[in-house]
Amino acid sequence: MRRRLRRARWLLPVGSAALWRAVRLDPLPRSFSKRSPERLARALLGQLVVHHTARVTRVGRIVETEAYLGPHDLACHSAKGRTKRTEVMFGPHGHAYVYLVYGLHLCLNVVTGQGAAVLLRALEPVEELARADGPGRLTRALGVSLRHNTHPLDTPPLFLARGKPVPARFVVRAPRVGVDYAGQWAHAPLRFLDARSAHVSVKV
DNA sequence: GCGGTGATAGAT
DNA sequence: TCTATCACCGCC
């Protein structure tokens, strides 16, 4: 407990309310992301995403993810090769891959390395969070920007925190959204949802 | 169902 | 430089 408190003080300014929140927000170690993208996508369900800005601490519970397996997965950006943009996915696990799609929306991913990552698709609001069901709405609600690309996700201001794992009976798998161009990979059931949540982006 | 919007990657 | 291509969203 002492250790948690010390960690908490490091996270947030002193103040009883902030401190209380911080105690609840136990950052996940970077090693949490050290597993296959498929396993991480599953494990992230029920965990928390925290963005601590100057004004507020925004917190959401992850209820929908997608695994992007690496260069062999034709739906994965790294299938196009190792480029300036995809470089971060070939780096160490536990960092953020943030990119712009359709000229409008940002997407936030957790890197697992070897060109693979997990896309965060939907959050259930916990603290100071607007509707975040959908990858674009998620980044907007959290206040994530392109500058967060490559940010280590065990470090403030943007980090993953311990939530409550989703029991297997509530985990639903489905094909990923918007990857029709990826041939056989378009059908792979690499999307993971918490079936109890009303905040998933697309119904199965 | 369709238009808006801009970074990226590969072509020229 | 130019052009096609998008892990989407909101409004029609």
Side-chain angles (χ1 to χ4, degrees), chain A residues 186-204:
Chain A
H187 312 301
L190 293 172
R191 178 171 165 237
F192 294 79
L193 309 94
D194 180 345
R196 298 168 298 182
S197 181
H199 293 270
V200 296
S201 65
V202 184
K203 298 287 175 216
V204 183

Side-chain angles (χ1 to χ4, degrees), chain A residues 56-71:
Chain A
V56 289
T57 299
R58 303 189 191 282
V59 183
R61 181 177 160 272
I62 301 171
V63 295
E64 182 180 352
T65 59
E66 279 177 3
Y68 288 83
L69 305 190

Side-chain angles (χ1 to χ4, degrees), chain A residues 24-177:
Chain A
R24 264 200 311 116
L25 298 177
D26 184 22
L28 289 172
R30 212 172 297 183
S31 58
F32 185 88
S33 308
K34 190 182 180 185
R35 50 184 117 197
S36 73
E38 207 166 338
R39 293 179 73 84
L40 181 62
R42 161 72 182 87
L44 280 173
L45 292 181
Q47 307 301 329
L48 307 175
V49 187
V50 183
H51 189 200
H52 175 215
T53 69
R55 301 176 154 230
V56 289
T57 299
R58 303 189 191 282
V59 183
R61 181 177 160 272
I62 301 171
V63 295
E64 182 180 352
T65 59
E66 279 177 3
Y68 288 83
L69 305 190
H72 62 288
D73 172 3
L74 296 183
C76 186
H77 286 171
S78 63
K80 297 260 166 69
R82 196 165 171 158
T83 66
K84 197 170 172 189
R85 178 169 66 153
T86 60
E87 187 60 30
V88 60
M89 282 199 279
F90 291 91
H93 57 83
H95 291 246
Y97 170 38
V98 182
Y99 65 89
L100 186 74
V101 268
Y102 304 116
L104 298 172
H105 309 289
L106 293 168
C107 291
L108 172 63
N109 301 252
V110 182
V111 166
T112 64
Q114 284 87 47
V118 174
L119 170 67
L120 303 185
R121 284 194 59 90
L123 304 179
E124 207 168 81
V126 174
E127 292 272 341
E128 301 283 349
L129 198 72
R131 202 162 76 119
D133 37 351
R137 279 200 283 252
L138 181 151
T139 51
R140 194 152 60 109
L142 271 180
V144 166
S145 76
L146 269 181
R147 295 200 315 283
H148 294 289
N149 191 34
T150 75
H151 175 80
L153 288 171
D154 60 347
T155 308
L158 180 66
F159 58 98
L160 298 167
R162 195 166 301 283
K164 212 173 135 189
V166 174
R169 65 184 181 281
F170 298 125
V171 175
V172 174
R173 298 182 61 148
R176 294 171 293 185
V177 175

